Amino acid sequence: MRVQTAGGVLDLKERLYELEGRLDRHTFVRISHSEIINLRKAKAFDLRLSGTISVRLADGSVSYVSRRYVARIKQLLGV
């Protein structure tokens, strides 16, 4: 598994669910099968009428919340 950090990209041997279990659940949130984001690096959440949510991160990249995780993100955002 490859992990993008402020210091660069790292290779980890553990699985994503194992990493998710070790991270602070108030700072890091899973948004898809293959992605966990740091909420402190999230600059904007765009909730579309179609039900999808996009996340703009501090580095300018955009990620999308999969349908499976939309309810959790809405709960975190208080929507």
Side-chain angles (χ1 to χ4, degrees):
M1 169 178 53
R2 298 181 67 94
V3 179
Q4 183 174 341
T5 68
V9 178
L10 305 172
D11 287 319
L12 295 179
K13 295 184 193 277
E14 63 189 325
R15 299 185 187 277
L16 194 59
Y17 73 88
E18 294 170 329
L19 179 61
E20 181 181 21
R22 291 184 20 211
L23 295 171
D24 178 11
R25 63 185 177 95
H26 299 291
T27 304
F28 295 90
V29 63
R30 189 158 189 164
I31 63 167
S32 71
H33 177 72
S34 60
E35 194 166 4
I36 296 173
I37 63 166
N38 181 338
L39 290 173
R40 294 181 183 157
K41 299 295 183 179
K43 294 298 179 189
F45 288 89
D46 184 12
L47 285 71
R48 307 283 170 118
L49 290 176
S50 63
T52 61
I53 300 174
S54 63
V55 183
R56 186 170 45 87
L57 300 170
D59 67 356
S61 64
V62 176
S63 293
Y64 295 90
V65 178
S66 70
R67 289 182 305 209
R68 181 178 188 177
Y69 298 96
V70 165
R72 170 80 170 126
I73 296 300
K74 284 184 175 181
Q75 178 186 7
L76 285 171
L77 297 175
V79 177

